Amino acid sequence: MGTDRYAYASRLRRVEAVPKLWLTLGALILCISCGSAAVGLVTLALMGALTVGLGGQRAATLVRFLRLPLAFLAVGCLPIVFRPLPAGEGALWAAEVFGRFRWGVTAEYLRVGLTVFCKALGAVSAMYFLSLNPPMTDLTQALERLHVPKLLVELMELIYRFLFVFSDTARRIRVAQESRLGYQTAGRGLRSLGELASSLFLRAWRQADRSYTALESRGYTGALNTLPATRTPGRWLYGVLAAVAAVQILTWMAERSWLQ
Amino acid sequence: MKRSDAWIRRGAALCLALGLMTTGASAMHIAEGYLPRTWAFGWMAVCVPFVAAGFFSIRRKVGRYPKAKMLLAMCGAFAFVLSALKIPSVSGSCSRPTGVGLGAILFGPTATTVLGLIVLLFQALLLTHGGITTLGANVFSMAIVGPFVSWGVYVLLKKAGCRPALAVFCAAALGDLMTYVTTSVELGVVYGNIGSYLAIFAVTQIPLAIAEGLLTVVVYNVLEKYSKAELQELSVL
């Protein structure tokens, strides 16, 4: 599902997930803390290169995923750049809206908008390192090792397991409904979707019931214990983290001194 | 079914009227990296008490009733799949239901908060909707404000003696709308210009909120008709 399919094909698949988690979080936090466009672009390049170079993902895959948040970023940056201006303020471009309000673009807010855009792209590319490298099951085990409460981790593992069952069920119901013209008009579509959701709920419920019975008959006492697969520790990834952080900080300092 | 048909058709006509301006309302999760550091961590801190309260209430329930864990996991997966379905919207742009109304009505607001946190994390990592640093802000709008509004509206209207269908509709539609209003405010307080964010993310959401309300009513009716026993078991949760 989604990015997970690619994570299973990653070259870093046999490496422990904890260092990957720290590498991502480190790059992410530095990227959003610096608040500069250059650091964002550098993070985008570095983390993208790591995903492609170390993880062995194809660059086209990464670009396809990077395009996904662009819709939000474009729409979300619009109100930053284009905003009401007080009368008499200098602007790159301005127009009267409804003949009374003056809206426009100033150099200052254009800069803010661009910074936010670049910063967000860098952060997204850092997050993709985590999405495209460790599979979700490794990640939940890493969370357990980091002392996230056991109940929460178990819920995550169960939810992840059920996701695939239910999305398959939903997909099959949808195909059946569409082949009977269930989505021909909007009204009919709403009703079909409602029926899909409710029968999905019922099936999910019965599935949970059956899983619980199956567990109980195998001596379930309230804990789902699984053996972790063998992984190499991957401590060298901390070195990569240090290198990425160093480049980010150097870029930030260079940008500041250049602006002054 | 005849009457609800007419109802849905009327609703769809209303959606058509309002739906003309629905163009940019596809984004409901704040993307990764969009919020500056202070706000990102601030929203996480705001969420902590709610998530902790939800976690402890779940733990109590699981301790008393071991099957609850399985049922809650099932509910979480259901919420994830539901939010990935596309609502057929009239104007051609498809939007996704938030599912907050249904979740809050079925499972109560505190359990929804914890399940929402997990579902949002999965959406960020698997579907690339939302992000890790913006998780706090997204949890606040989608797993705290939305469910609490829905649940409050539902309980109030039921107390006031409204028809269940109307109570469910109002709860789901208002929960959906308040989710987007919260998202707009979260963006607006950081970058100013709240009005534009409200116009882009919340006003365009009105027809979709109505569509989600209608959808939730359909789901609720079917569930009430065919799965009384399950719903009674659910009220134990």
Side-chain angles (χ1 to χ4, degrees):
Chain A
M1 177 177 294
T3 56
D4 222 32
R5 197 149 62 89
Y6 299 97
Y8 276 101
S10 162
R11 269 208 295 260
L12 295 178
R13 162 105 173 78
R14 305 269 162 227
V15 178
E16 193 72 60
V18 179
K20 296 180 201 163
L21 187 64
W22 287 125
L23 172 57
T24 303
L25 288 183
L28 251 182
I29 290 172
L30 266 176
C31 178
I32 64 164
S33 302
C34 290
S36 93
V39 173
L41 292 177
V42 162
T43 314
L44 171 69
L46 280 178
M47 295 308 278
L50 287 180
T51 306
V52 173
L54 290 179
Q57 304 291 352
R58 288 192 319 163
T61 313
L62 186 65
V63 170
R64 194 161 61 82
F65 279 115
L66 276 174
R67 281 215 311 260
L68 290 176
L70 281 184
F72 176 88
L73 288 179
V75 174
C77 285
L78 199 67
I80 299 180
V81 175
F82 186 72
R83 53 170 67 225
L85 299 173
E89 195 181 312
L92 296 176
W93 177 86
E96 307 278 314
V97 182
F98 303 127
R100 283 198 306 153
F101 309 101
R102 187 159 168 268
W103 282 60
V105 179
T106 64
E108 169 64 13
Y109 280 113
L110 192 62
R111 199 185 57 77
V112 173
L114 267 179
T115 307
V116 169
F117 188 80
C118 295
K119 201 177 71 175
L121 266 187
V124 166
S125 126
M127 184 178 75
Y128 284 168
F129 184 78
L130 197 61
S131 294
L132 293 172
N133 281 304
M136 193 53 85
T137 44
D138 279 26
L139 209 57
T140 49
Q141 269 167 7
L143 287 180
E144 194 176 344
R145 201 150 325 135
L146 296 174
H147 303 289
V148 172
K150 180 103 176 105
L151 176 61
L152 215 56
V153 176
E154 273 187 7
L155 271 179
M156 282 181 77
E157 282 169 347
L158 284 171
I159 289 177
Y160 179 70
R161 163 81 189 94
F162 282 136
L163 277 189
F164 293 90
V165 182
F166 298 158
S167 30
D168 186 51
T169 311
R171 192 184 50 79
R172 277 186 286 135
I173 297 177
R174 180 109 189 189
V175 169
Q177 286 178 328
E178 267 177 14
S179 62
R180 291 168 179 76
L181 304 180
Y183 292 89
Q184 208 66 355
T185 61
R188 211 188 279 174
L190 258 181
R191 210 178 72 190
S192 299
L193 195 66
E195 280 165 1
L196 191 161
S198 39
S199 58
L200 186 68
F201 179 80
L202 274 182
R203 281 178 196 212
W205 190 274
R206 289 189 188 141
Q207 175 69 47
D209 227 29
R210 281 201 297 268
S211 301
Y212 184 69
T213 313
L215 277 177
E216 249 194 338
S217 62
R218 286 164 180 78
Y220 177 67
T221 51
L224 295 168
N225 297 315
T226 47
L227 290 173
T230 43
R231 297 273 182 264
T232 54
R235 292 209 186 79
W236 55 275
L237 278 172
Y238 293 117
V240 177
L241 167 62
V244 170
V247 174
Q248 281 176 315
I249 291 171
L250 280 178
T251 314
W252 180 60
M253 281 160 61
E255 196 200 12
R256 274 187 37 160
S257 64
W258 182 70
L259 281 180
Q260 281 163 9
Chain B
M1 265 313 181
K2 246 309 50 81
R3 235 174 90 205
S4 75
D5 258 353
W7 218 55
I8 288 170
R9 221 168 288 140
R10 238 169 280 153
L14 189 59
C15 291
L16 178 69
L18 290 163
L20 293 173
M21 42 189 182
T22 317
T23 43
S26 55
M28 62 176 164
H29 300 72
I30 301 177
E32 177 64 270
Y34 195 78
L35 294 177
R37 183 185 49 183
T38 17
W39 285 102
F41 287 114
W43 286 118
M44 283 183 199
V46 170
C47 293
V48 166
F50 291 93
V51 172
F55 176 74
F56 287 121
S57 100
I58 285 183
R59 196 162 72 174
R60 250 196 330 274
K61 283 165 189 161
V62 170
R64 261 206 320 261
Y65 182 60
K67 196 173 162 186
K69 196 195 296 177
M70 201 58 78
L71 294 178
L72 281 167
M74 181 282 292
C75 296
F78 173 70
F80 182 96
V81 174
L82 188 74
S83 66
L85 296 174
K86 291 190 178 97
I87 289 189
S89 172
V90 188
S91 58
S93 77
C94 274
S95 181
R96 298 187 156 89
T98 53
V100 291
L102 191 61
I105 293 168
L106 290 178
F107 325 130
T110 45
T112 310
T113 303
V114 176
L115 293 180
L117 169 71
I118 298 177
V119 168
L120 284 169
L121 186 64
F122 278 162
Q123 282 177 337
L125 290 177
L126 294 175
L127 303 180
T128 70
H129 294 159
I132 301 172
T133 58
T134 52
L135 193 62
N138 283 329
V139 165
F140 187 71
S141 67
M142 263 174 270
I144 294 173
V145 172
F148 273 92
V149 167
S150 286
W151 184 74
V153 169
Y154 180 67
V155 168
L156 271 181
L157 285 182
K158 275 200 95 177
K159 275 236 174 80
C162 266
R163 292 222 323 270
L166 186 65
V168 169
F169 172 77
C170 292
L174 281 176
D176 178 293
L177 199 62
M178 283 313 291
T179 300
Y180 280 83
V181 169
T182 313
T183 306
S184 320
V185 171
E186 279 169 354
L187 292 172
V189 290
V190 180
Y191 297 113
N193 207 358
I194 290 188
S196 304
Y197 278 112
L198 278 174
I200 291 183
F201 289 112
V203 175
T204 55
Q205 189 62 23
I206 290 172
L208 297 170
I210 294 172
E212 171 152 7
L214 293 175
L215 177 71
T216 311
V217 171
V218 176
V219 176
Y220 186 83
N221 283 344
V222 176
L223 285 180
E224 223 191 12
K225 205 158 154 197
Y226 297 112
S227 46
K228 270 268 161 62
E230 279 86 356
L231 286 184
Q232 260 156 22
E233 201 177 349
L234 195 61
S235 63
V236 184
L237 288 183

